[in-house]
Amino acid sequence: MDVDAQVDVDLVQAARGGEVAAVGLLIERHGAGMRAVAVSLLGPGADVEDVLQDAALIALRRVAEVRDPEAVGAWLRMVVRNCCRALLRQRRAVGSVGEWVPVPDDAAHPERWLERNAMRDWVWEAVERLSPTLRLPLVLRHFSEGVTSYDDIARACGVPVGTVRSRLSQARARLCEELAGIASAAHGDASGLAEASRRQAGETLAAAEQGRFEAFVAERWTADVDLYVGAQRLGGRELLVRGMEGDLADGVRQRPVNIVASRL
């Protein structure tokens, strides 16, 4: 892996861990390519800036979905391309803005679900700090379905389209300030949660190795805990105990690999 690719990988990993500033660094690194895509599809003008701002917020919300961190540049350009196509459809009045980056089915990967929702928590915390005047157009534009075009937002807010553009620009700038303000605190909170979870996992596995797993689980876990695979319930605490004891009897040992924290 070359140096540039390694930097991208490190920044994506940091962003997944809640470092909001890492998303900004990724956009700065790949900004020229993102702008080139926008200009090639829309031509020069104010729409390019709007699309790049939209793409930056989408990247912030969905960076945890990047499957290949080495290809994050291509992913960011795809985000811009989709935003441009949505704007072009809006111009032609064919339909409302709605073509976003495809959301992968991560039902089998709970750590990705947690990463996305942890990031969502921090974004919403910043959004909630905006004034109502700035918050409403931003939420409609980036977090709603069906009311996302400038015309739709103008009708919903009862203001001219030009005012919508102005408020969105102010809201995005203010949101960046709020995100920067809470990034360290939010990340610190997540780090604390992750460390507590990592410590608990270590204590649980140590108890199992010492033959105290059943007693440990009875002490630390609620009696009505359920184990699921997808939507199918497999059993309760007794199944967990039997499974661990069976693994140990067969010589299987477990270790924590990845700990992801969320306030959910």
Side-chain angles (χ1 to χ4, degrees):
M1 184 185 303
D2 61 32
V3 174
D4 283 343
Q6 185 61 58
V7 171
D8 280 345
V9 170
D10 292 343
L11 287 173
V12 170
Q13 303 249 354
R16 286 173 172 170
E19 293 285 359
V20 177
V23 182
L25 291 173
L26 282 169
I27 292 171
E28 182 178 342
R29 282 174 56 78
H30 298 283
M34 295 168 68
R35 181 176 293 276
V37 170
V39 172
S40 69
L41 292 173
L42 302 177
D47 284 339
V48 169
E49 300 305 322
D50 285 342
V51 160
L52 290 176
Q53 289 177 339
D54 287 351
L57 278 177
I58 292 170
L60 176 65
R61 291 162 51 203
R62 297 189 168 182
V63 68
E65 297 170 11
V66 176
R67 291 175 180 264
D68 181 5
E70 291 184 54
V72 67
W75 181 82
L76 288 168
R77 292 190 293 274
M78 181 179 67
V79 173
V80 173
R81 189 175 299 109
N82 285 344
C83 289
C84 290
R85 289 171 178 167
L87 180 59
L88 292 171
R89 287 201 308 275
Q90 177 188 325
R91 285 178 180 175
R92 294 193 297 266
V94 172
S96 61
V97 177
E99 182 180 327
W100 303 113
V101 180
V103 179
D105 180 10
D106 284 339
H109 301 281
E111 71 279 3
R112 293 181 185 171
W113 184 89
L114 287 171
E115 286 168 357
R116 289 203 307 274
N117 282 279
M119 179 68 78
R120 185 192 66 184
D121 284 350
W122 294 321
V123 173
W124 272 110
E125 183 173 335
V127 168
E128 289 168 359
R129 296 187 182 190
L130 301 179
S131 68
T133 300
L134 299 182
R135 186 191 311 135
L136 179 57
L138 185 80
V139 169
L140 290 174
R141 177 69 171 170
H142 296 286
F143 300 95
S144 69
E145 295 183 8
V147 185
T148 54
S149 71
Y150 291 120
D151 288 337
D152 289 340
I153 296 170
R155 284 192 292 271
C157 296
V159 297
V161 171
T163 302
V164 169
R165 286 182 177 271
S166 175
R167 289 181 180 177
L168 278 172
S169 179
Q170 294 176 55
R172 288 162 177 147
R174 183 62 183 161
L175 182 64
C176 289
E177 294 175 5
E178 293 294 350
L179 285 167
I182 68 173
S184 58
H187 182 61
D189 178 57
S191 296
L193 290 172
E195 182 56 35
S197 295
R198 185 177 295 108
R199 187 166 52 251
Q200 182 180 27
E203 292 171 354
T204 302
L205 294 177
E209 294 279 354
Q210 296 163 9
R212 300 186 296 106
F213 185 72
E214 184 172 7
F216 184 90
V217 169
E219 176 187 344
R220 300 288 187 94
W221 293 27
T222 178
D224 58 356
V225 63
D226 287 321
L227 304 178
Y228 283 83
V229 172
Q232 180 182 1
R233 181 183 183 277
L234 299 181
R237 196 167 65 186
E238 70 288 346
L239 177 63
L240 179 67
V241 171
R242 288 202 310 271
M244 178 61 78
E245 290 177 347
D247 284 347
L248 291 171
D250 292 337
V252 176
R253 298 297 183 267
Q254 300 183 33
R255 63 182 179 86
V257 174
N258 188 29
I259 303 294
V260 180
S262 172
R263 291 182 297 173
L264 295 180

